Amino acid sequence: MEKLPGYLYILEQTYPSSVLSLKRKEGESFLYAFVALEACIRGWEYCRPVVMVDGVALRGTYGGTMFTASTMDP
């Protein structure tokens, strides 16, 4: 854990437009680290929107039958 802040600092210096975050609990124990590098952020510009359906919503009238529809732009 003691090396992680230094690693995130080096990433921030190397990739200045990246999003980096380190969160700790009380007492300075590690909670999570979030890393989104600049190249990955820019790449989202070329992705198509996606709709996801969680299987938990499949309980009910249709007894686990999933109905989906999709289309592509011309």
Side-chain angles (χ1 to χ4, degrees):
M1 171 62 193
E2 62 273 351
K3 294 182 180 183
L4 191 55
Y7 176 71
L8 293 177
Y9 174 78
I10 291 170
L11 278 176
E12 188 175 37
Q13 299 305 307
T14 306
Y15 306 104
S17 297
S18 298
V19 178
L20 308 163
S21 177
L22 176 63
K23 296 292 180 188
R24 300 176 182 178
K25 296 181 191 176
E26 292 180 27
E28 296 296 309
S29 62
F30 176 77
L31 185 59
Y32 68 85
F34 177 82
V35 178
L37 298 177
E38 175 196 8
C40 296
I41 294 169
R42 284 188 289 124
W44 281 106
E45 179 182 343
Y46 304 101
C47 291
R48 290 181 171 265
V50 175
V51 176
M52 306 265 315
V53 178
D54 191 314
V56 174
L58 297 177
R59 297 183 191 137
T61 307
Y62 300 104
T65 302
M66 183 187 306
F67 175 76
T68 62
S70 62
T71 183
M72 295 282 291
D73 293 338

